[in-house]
Amino acid sequence: MTYNKFSFISLVITSLFISGYSYANPKLNKTNLFLDNLTPVCWYKDAKYSEGALIVMADKLFVCANKFDNQTNGQLTWRIADENGQPLPHKPKKSIRIN
């Protein structure tokens, strides 16, 4: 019985010490959230590009556009563009797979 009391008391003292240290040290309680700019972007060579940006990669023109044509607020990605800077439509799947 004495061993259980000793281990319980040491557990309480240790937890109080740790919680007191984290409360006294404001660096441990700090959370960084960078919510100033939540607009979707495309990345290329460590630089951000907004929707509609054009770049040339491997002698092909790419545009920063929605990943899927039917989603207006979805994920942006680099898509191959035509000569007017518009993304080429995705090729439809030739077959439907049913499991």
Side-chain angles (χ1 to χ4, degrees):
M1 186 79 170
T2 307
Y3 178 72
N4 290 337
K5 286 182 185 179
F6 177 72
S7 59
F8 176 74
I9 292 172
S10 64
L11 178 66
V12 169
I13 291 172
T14 305
S15 63
L16 288 175
F17 176 73
I18 291 173
S19 64
Y21 176 72
S22 65
Y23 182 74
N25 192 349
K27 288 184 178 180
L28 296 177
N29 296 332
K30 191 174 181 181
T31 303
N32 293 326
L33 292 175
F34 301 103
L35 300 175
D36 57 345
N37 190 5
L38 295 177
T39 57
V41 295
C42 292
W43 288 90
Y44 180 68
K45 292 188 177 179
D46 294 332
K48 292 190 244 182
Y49 292 87
S50 61
E51 186 174 7
L54 296 169
I55 60 170
V56 177
M57 289 188 285
D59 296 331
K60 290 186 181 180
L61 185 64
F62 286 84
V63 62
C64 179
N66 289 317
K67 185 173 185 178
F68 301 105
D69 293 329
N70 60 348
Q71 295 179 352
T72 58
N73 61 350
Q75 177 184 359
L76 295 180
T77 186
W78 291 110
R79 292 179 54 184
I80 297 177
D82 60 8
E83 59 275 352
N84 298 327
Q86 298 299 317
L88 295 177
H90 290 289
K91 296 178 183 176
K93 305 272 184 188
K94 293 184 180 182
S95 63
I96 297 174
R97 181 177 178 177
I98 300 174
N99 291 335

